[in-house]
Amino acid sequence: MRHFSREAQKITMEINTRYHEPDEMAELFSKLIGKSVPEGFGLFPPFYTDFGKNITVGKNVFINSDCKFQDQGGIFIDDGALIGHGVVLATLNHDLEPSKRPMLHPAPIHIGKNVWIGANATILPGVTIGDNAVVAAGAVVNHNVPANVVVGGVPAKIIKEV
């Protein structure tokens, strides 16, 4: 785990400290996640992750600047998803029992096709966001989101259907 975390630090430092053409950015992100990114991938740095190897992205995924992915529990982003500025995807929780607090509880995040996550939203461990859903800016999503809805607030609740 430490080896891949250090590798992720090195690659994200490279991503974040100089300009890269889109094909070079896709190559760096592929190196970070350990698999080729599909066509249409886009990333505006800076970007941060603690591990990297547990991120999977589909075709035509765009990740805007200042996103933070805690991916040790697994992050799956389907085709056409748009991730806004400053989004946090957190796949780890600590135990609530104080004596067990150092224990980590991983749970994957799955972002469906054509999902739009607004700026500064936070998606918590174990959440699945259904296809075509929209997560409003600043929302904190702690439960699964059905397809074709807009959610917002803290905690996020359904606002309307798409």
Side-chain angles (χ1 to χ4, degrees):
M1 184 175 104
R2 288 185 180 147
H3 167 76
F4 289 118
S5 292
R6 287 189 185 104
E7 182 179 279
Q9 290 173 358
K10 289 176 187 176
I11 297 168
T12 55
M13 181 61 77
E14 174 66 18
I15 287 171
N16 295 336
T17 57
R18 69 180 187 87
Y19 175 77
H20 302 282
E21 292 293 333
D23 59 337
E24 187 181 13
M25 185 64 74
E27 184 179 319
L28 283 166
F29 200 81
S30 293
K31 184 176 176 184
L32 177 67
I33 67 173
K35 50 194 158 284
S36 294
V37 295
E39 63 187 60
F41 174 79
L43 171 68
F44 283 0
F47 175 81
Y48 306 95
T49 188
D50 62 345
F51 195 71
K53 300 299 186 226
N54 293 326
I55 299 170
T56 302
V57 296
K59 294 179 185 173
N60 301 311
V61 166
F62 177 71
I63 301 168
N64 217 324
S65 62
D66 202 29
C67 289
K68 297 160 189 78
F69 289 13
Q70 181 193 52
D71 69 289
Q72 292 182 47
I75 294 173
F76 304 90
I77 305 172
D78 290 346
D79 296 349
L82 304 173
I83 313 295
H85 291 86
V87 167
V88 174
L89 303 181
T91 66
L92 294 175
N93 261 331
H94 288 275
D95 204 280
L96 290 177
E97 174 61 40
S99 66
K100 297 178 184 177
R101 189 88 20 103
M103 293 179 65
L104 294 174
H105 301 282
I109 291 173
H110 184 181
I111 298 169
K113 292 179 182 164
N114 303 311
V115 167
W116 172 23
I117 301 177
N120 296 309
T122 298
I123 314 301
L124 296 177
V127 168
T128 295
I129 300 175
D131 294 348
N132 307 309
V134 176
V135 176
V140 176
V141 183
N142 62 355
H143 289 91
N144 291 345
V145 174
N148 303 304
V149 298
V150 177
V151 298
V154 179
K157 294 182 179 12
I158 295 173
I159 297 171
K160 65 180 180 178
E161 292 185 16
V162 177

